[in-house]
Amino acid sequence: AAGVVFAQEIPTDAKKAFDSAVTEFEAKRDDAGIALLETAVRIYPDYYYALDRLGSEYLKKQSYADAQKYFERSVAINPKSSNSWYGLAFALFSAGQTDRSIEAGKKAATLAPENTDINLMLGIALRRGRQYTDAEKAMLKAKKLSNGLSADTSWNLALLYAYNLRNQRLAADELENFLKVRPDHPDAERLKRLIRQFRLGV
């Protein structure tokens, strides 16, 4: 997610480590890149861009505790970063901290209200928190922002309608849209049968 440009006076050695890390990531040497980012934040603990990137890299590795740690530091330094709040929401959700994930997701959505991924993440967290009406609103907003082209959004809306809001017609609509976006899905035939069942109210 795009964020507000954040200016800092960065020590030369920390900036050099960050730039070297970017080079390592571009060469697909992720572990070396992470090590260099960690060097950068040891030199300058408030290095926002290094902290934010570390959080993102640890999310990719599914190291959610590490991601949470770095995103918490980055939002403390730059509370206007929608990317860091989104990453923090994702990390907290993955760690089972639903209420805190919702809180972080709402902050991200306030900062970047037109971001599809942020609204979807918020909707998923709200669904787990049993706030089903608000979850629907966030997911429908994500669907609108993506022009209906987000398969993940339609999938999660289908789950919400099928299991929580008990609306099989809308669940069928969302599964149909999911298959429209992902016609090559390996379970396409099973999903088509499920759509027929929903249409029949079975």
Side-chain angles (χ1 to χ4, degrees):
V4 176
V5 175
F6 188 72
Q8 290 179 301
E9 291 290 333
I10 308 298
T12 302
D13 288 348
K15 182 65 165 62
K16 188 179 296 184
F18 180 88
D19 291 342
S20 296
V22 171
T23 300
E24 294 295 332
F25 289 127
E26 289 173 349
K28 308 299 182 185
R29 295 188 290 266
D30 293 351
D31 289 342
I34 288 172
L36 284 162
L37 288 177
E38 289 176 339
T39 296
V41 298
R42 277 196 298 272
I43 296 168
Y44 183 47
D46 290 346
Y47 197 161
Y48 160 69
Y49 286 108
L51 292 167
D52 183 73
R53 183 66 185 264
L54 274 167
S56 297
E57 293 300 328
Y58 277 118
L59 273 188
K60 292 178 189 176
K61 293 168 72 69
Q62 299 182 6
S63 298
Y64 300 119
D66 288 320
Q68 178 183 336
K69 175 180 68 176
Y70 286 114
F71 281 129
E72 284 177 338
R73 288 171 62 183
S74 64
V75 296
I77 293 160
N78 180 12
K80 293 184 178 180
S81 170
S82 60
N83 188 73
S84 291
W85 282 115
Y86 168 69
L88 181 57
F90 198 111
L92 290 166
F93 180 87
S94 300
Q97 299 184 53
T98 305
D99 290 344
R100 291 190 63 203
S101 176
I102 291 170
E103 181 183 349
K106 285 180 177 178
K107 289 179 179 176
T110 298
L111 291 164
E114 304 304 306
N115 185 286
T116 298
D117 292 337
I118 286 174
N119 281 284
L120 175 57
M121 177 70 247
L122 176 58
I124 292 171
L126 287 164
R127 179 182 174 229
R128 183 194 274 177
R130 300 183 179 182
Q131 299 179 42
Y132 301 130
T133 301
D134 289 341
E136 181 187 24
K137 288 178 183 176
M139 290 185 193
L140 286 175
K141 184 171 183 180
K143 181 180 179 181
K144 182 179 179 180
L145 290 168
S146 72
N147 294 316
L149 298 177
S150 169
D152 286 343
T153 300
S154 284
W155 180 260
N156 281 283
L157 274 166
L159 294 174
L160 178 69
Y161 287 130
Y163 294 106
N164 307 119
L165 297 180
R166 305 298 180 183
N167 191 321
Q168 292 188 329
R169 179 183 63 81
L170 291 179
D173 290 346
E174 293 303 332
L175 286 178
E176 283 184 345
N177 193 66
F178 175 84
L179 288 176
K180 192 179 298 182
V181 179
R182 292 281 307 280
D184 57 344
H185 192 275
D187 288 332
E189 291 305 315
R190 183 179 66 84
L191 292 176
K192 288 176 183 177
R193 290 195 297 273
L194 186 58
I195 290 167
R196 288 195 292 272
Q197 291 174 7
F198 283 156
R199 295 290 184 211
L200 293 171
V202 177

